[in-house]
Amino acid sequence: MKSLFIVKLTPLYITTLPNKSPSYIHTKTRKVYAKAKGFNGTNIEKQKVMIKEEKKKAKEEEADDKIPDVVMERMISRILFNVGVPLITGLGLLQMFSVIKEQNLWQIPRWLPFLTTFITFGASTLGIVYGTLSTSWDEENKGSIIGFEEAKKNWVKMWEEDES
């Protein structure tokens, strides 16, 4: 402790209050220079032209990747069906197991509701992918009801586009 005699202890209370008079307010303004380095008029015009060209390219790429509305509606209806049926089946089976257990009709093993939930909810999750792939991506062709042929074609297309 004697070696730290140089260090002063600061008081734990406020000794003086700061003066709040207007003399402490700094009202110094800075000048803005119109032609700062890198911001002359020619560069701005070049940048505007470049931005317009980039926007035009982005719109062209967007137009190529846009899914037609007819195909999108078919996709949504297939996804809703392929997700909804397994989901409702799983919830119905859980309700049925609950009623059977409450009525003491059958002593259901614990693993059975877990297994049915796993299978039906998993099938519901896979329904999103299958609903998308089983839709015909051609506007004029509706495709089949089940969609196995379309799923095979679209699976190959999807991986070809991903590799390129």
Side-chain angles (χ1 to χ4, degrees):
M1 289 304 265
K2 290 183 180 182
S3 63
L4 298 175
F5 67 93
I6 298 173
V7 178
K8 281 181 66 182
L9 293 175
T10 57
L12 297 175
Y13 55 90
I14 299 174
T15 56
T16 59
L17 293 175
N19 188 359
K20 292 187 178 182
S21 66
S23 64
Y24 283 108
I25 299 174
H26 298 287
T27 57
K28 189 175 184 181
T29 57
R30 296 180 185 237
K31 251 187 179 178
V32 178
Y33 296 100
K35 291 197 175 191
K37 186 174 183 180
F39 291 104
N40 56 10
T42 58
N43 287 342
I44 292 174
E45 294 302 322
K46 287 179 185 177
Q47 288 175 355
K48 286 180 182 178
V49 170
M50 288 175 61
I51 289 171
K52 285 180 184 178
E53 289 175 0
E54 288 175 3
K55 285 182 181 179
K56 192 182 290 184
K57 286 180 185 177
K59 284 182 182 179
E60 289 173 2
E61 289 175 3
E62 230 176 73
D64 291 341
D65 294 339
K66 186 176 180 190
I67 298 172
D69 291 335
V70 177
V71 176
M72 184 61 78
E73 288 174 6
R74 271 189 257 150
M75 244 184 234
I76 290 172
S77 63
R78 282 188 183 257
I79 289 171
L80 288 175
F81 179 78
N82 289 319
V83 169
V85 169
L87 187 67
I88 291 171
T89 304
L91 293 173
L93 284 172
L94 284 177
Q95 186 66 30
M96 185 181 72
F97 290 148
S98 172
V99 169
I100 289 173
K101 191 162 185 152
E102 287 174 0
Q103 300 288 329
N104 289 329
L105 299 174
W106 179 46
Q107 190 62 30
I108 299 173
R110 286 184 182 259
W111 57 267
L112 189 60
F114 288 118
L115 181 66
T116 55
T117 302
F118 180 74
I119 291 171
T120 55
F121 290 2
S124 178
T125 304
L126 292 175
I128 297 170
V129 175
Y130 185 74
T132 304
L133 289 176
S134 67
T135 304
S136 174
W137 292 350
D138 185 21
E139 289 183 56
E140 291 83 29
N141 185 12
K142 272 193 167 184
S144 65
I145 294 174
I146 298 174
F148 284 133
E149 297 84 21
E150 288 85 8
K152 288 178 188 176
K153 287 190 293 189
N154 294 337
W155 182 262
V156 173
K157 281 183 189 178
M158 182 180 66
W159 286 108
E160 284 176 355
E161 288 177 6
D162 190 41
E163 289 175 359
S164 65

